[in-house]
Amino acid sequence: MALLSSFTTVTLPRTQTPLFYRKYPSPKLKLPHLFQSNRIVAFSAPKLNDQIASKSTNQIPDLQHEPQTRTWNWRGYSIRYQCAGNDGPALVLVHGFGANSNHWRKNIPVLAKSHRVYAIDLIGYGYSDKPNPRQIGDDSFYTFDTWAAQLNDFCLDVVKDKAFFVCNSIGGVVGLQAAVVAPQMCRGIIVLNVSLRMLHIKKQPWYAKPFIRSFQRLLRDTAVGKFFFKAVATKESVRNILCQCYHDTSMVTDELVEIILNPGLEPGAAEVFLEFICYSGGPLPEELLPQVTCPVLIAWGDKDPWEPIELGRNYGNFDSVEDFVVLPNVGHCPQDEAPHLVNPLVESFVACHAKSYVEQPSS
């Protein structure tokens, strides 16, 4: 039977207001609903407003919940991660392209008050090792298969528990892929502005595909790629790029520029950068979502110039997606640009679904 859609307007502290597009009523979230024939009805949800607003009053981090930086040996490589919090459900935060776990610095201390929070540097990024694929004889090393395996092994070895994945950009594809490969490790996924992968080979017209492959070979196999990376890996370039994807450019601080730039100056970073921008295969979000068995919440900054929300809304139609949340006047990285919106969403989603997992008694 077809399910009728409805949407709820939710008021949060400050002037920005996310919109919840509900496909069906969720008793766990206690969202009021109203159906009138085949019409879509808009209404406010004061109970949810109060729930999120009360949590938002406690969004100021304290030193007790500041993250600790640690390393984990994965398949012989050193992986850097951060952790905070001793109680509650486990959260694993997964960054996007060119970023690292420091991109979650505004989220970790807040979420750690009621969760066990982990933020990982995917291999090749941040302060994790950056092996050269050509030197290790694996030209398909930096793929979503590799990162998904890393994420699932991290849950087994470090978290030692199933976890909720909170992901941004390409990290969203990593989280979805990990949940498909090892569904027993993932309780639920919150995806923030997932990468649409518009440069994927499947999304290109037939006549463009030979040109794309030639351009990729030019970047990977000649000095052109290194020259391009050097032009990008400067404070001025990083700031300009961030000002494109952040709607509120006042959030692009010197600290943020250094967070993104400094790991990119380490040995091996150029090779990783070129490998990924030449990676036009692998899974697409629309291929993974039908295979995901855990609940998914998608949130989207509506001023994202890289991943247009008009295309992102289509992901709300998949059965695994419980909510599609619009974050007004927010760009591509909501967790950093609007943590006062993202943190309460994470808390509410996790509180809803953590209770639904009851451990089976051992035989």
Side-chain angles (χ1 to χ4, degrees):
M1 182 178 68
L3 295 171
L4 191 64
S5 296
S6 64
F7 67 88
T8 306
T9 303
V10 181
T11 303
L12 287 182
R14 303 194 186 186
T15 58
Q16 294 168 306
T17 304
L19 302 178
F20 284 65
Y21 289 83
R22 297 214 51 81
K23 298 191 302 177
Y24 50 86
S26 173
K28 294 178 181 177
L29 283 179
K30 298 181 180 179
L31 289 178
H33 60 280
L34 178 63
F35 300 126
Q36 294 183 0
S37 300
N38 294 322
R39 295 171 55 193
I40 296 177
V41 181
F43 53 90
S44 62
K47 291 185 179 179
L48 188 59
N49 288 352
D50 295 340
Q51 176 186 1
I52 296 179
S54 65
K55 292 183 178 181
S56 297
T57 60
N58 197 29
Q59 292 300 300
I60 301 175
D62 55 61
L63 295 178
Q64 180 183 355
H65 297 98
E66 286 297 311
Q68 300 178 7
T69 299
R70 297 178 180 175
T71 58
W72 164 55
N73 186 293
W74 180 64
R75 300 183 181 180
Y77 300 111
S78 176
I79 303 299
R80 178 250 202 166
Y81 69 94
Q82 300 182 59
C83 59
N86 299 314
D87 301 302
L91 312 180
V92 179
L93 316 183
V94 187
H95 62 80
F97 173 62
N100 58 80
S101 57
N102 287 346
H103 213 189
W104 301 96
R105 69 199 184 283
K106 300 176 184 177
N107 315 101
I108 298 173
V110 174
L111 296 174
K113 294 179 180 180
S114 53
H115 307 83
R116 290 171 291 140
V117 184
Y118 302 83
I120 190 172
D121 286 4
L122 297 174
I123 190 166
Y125 293 104
Y127 296 96
S128 291
D129 280 350
K130 301 169 180 61
N132 188 323
R134 303 194 179 193
Q135 293 179 356
I136 63 177
D138 187 354
D139 289 337
S140 59
F141 184 78
Y142 292 107
T143 67
F144 292 109
D145 290 328
T146 299
W147 291 316
Q150 179 189 358
L151 183 55
N152 285 326
D153 288 346
F154 183 77
C155 291
L156 284 171
D157 297 346
V158 179
V159 181
K160 300 184 185 303
D161 195 3
K162 62 184 70 173
F164 290 91
F165 300 157
V166 186
C167 316
N168 176 228
S169 191
I170 68 161
V173 184
V174 174
L176 293 172
Q177 174 78 351
V180 168
V181 173
Q184 72 278 8
M185 298 309 303
C186 184
R187 288 188 170 193
I189 308 176
I190 299 174
V191 181
L192 308 172
N193 290 60
V194 64
S195 172
L196 298 169
R197 304 206 65 203
M198 296 304 294
L199 297 179
H200 195 286
I201 198 69
K202 292 181 180 178
K203 296 188 175 183
Q204 310 309 314
W206 65 268
Y207 53 83
K209 293 179 181 180
F211 171 78
I212 293 172
R213 294 190 180 97
S214 297
F215 181 70
Q216 290 173 340
R217 286 193 294 268
L218 178 68
L219 289 177
R220 291 182 60 190
D221 301 337
T222 72
V224 172
K226 293 292 183 66
F227 178 80
F228 176 61
F229 178 77
K230 287 182 179 179
V232 172
T234 67
K235 287 185 178 181
E236 294 75 14
S237 294
V238 170
R239 184 179 297 277
N240 289 336
I241 292 170
L242 289 170
C243 285
Q244 290 177 22
C245 69
Y246 277 59
H247 180 65
D248 181 0
T249 56
S250 69
M251 304 300 287
V252 181
T253 61
D254 291 340
E255 177 194 29
L256 176 61
V257 171
E258 291 183 1
I259 283 173
I260 301 300
L261 175 62
N262 289 348
L265 301 178
E266 293 201 332
E271 288 76 14
V272 176
F273 174 83
L274 295 173
E275 283 293 320
F276 186 77
I277 64 174
C278 294
Y279 176 39
S280 56
L284 293 164
E286 53 266 34
E287 296 172 339
L288 295 172
L289 281 168
Q291 304 177 63
V292 173
T293 56
C294 66
V296 178
L297 183 148
I298 297 178
W300 214 285
D302 68 347
K303 295 298 188 294
D304 187 341
W306 295 346
E307 315 292 351
I309 192 171
E310 291 75 16
L311 299 177
R313 290 182 195 273
N314 295 327
Y315 292 145
N317 296 324
F318 289 96
D319 291 340
S320 59
V321 178
E322 291 190 345
D323 296 292
F324 185 94
V325 182
V326 180
L327 304 175
N329 300 315
V330 179
H332 184 65
C333 306
Q335 79 277 13
D336 188 59
E337 186 178 349
H340 62 285
L341 299 183
V342 171
N343 291 337
L345 281 179
V346 174
E347 291 171 333
S348 297
F349 179 81
V350 172
C352 166
H353 292 289
K355 297 178 181 178
S356 65
Y357 283 83
V358 178
E359 297 294 336
Q360 298 297 321
S362 57
S363 57

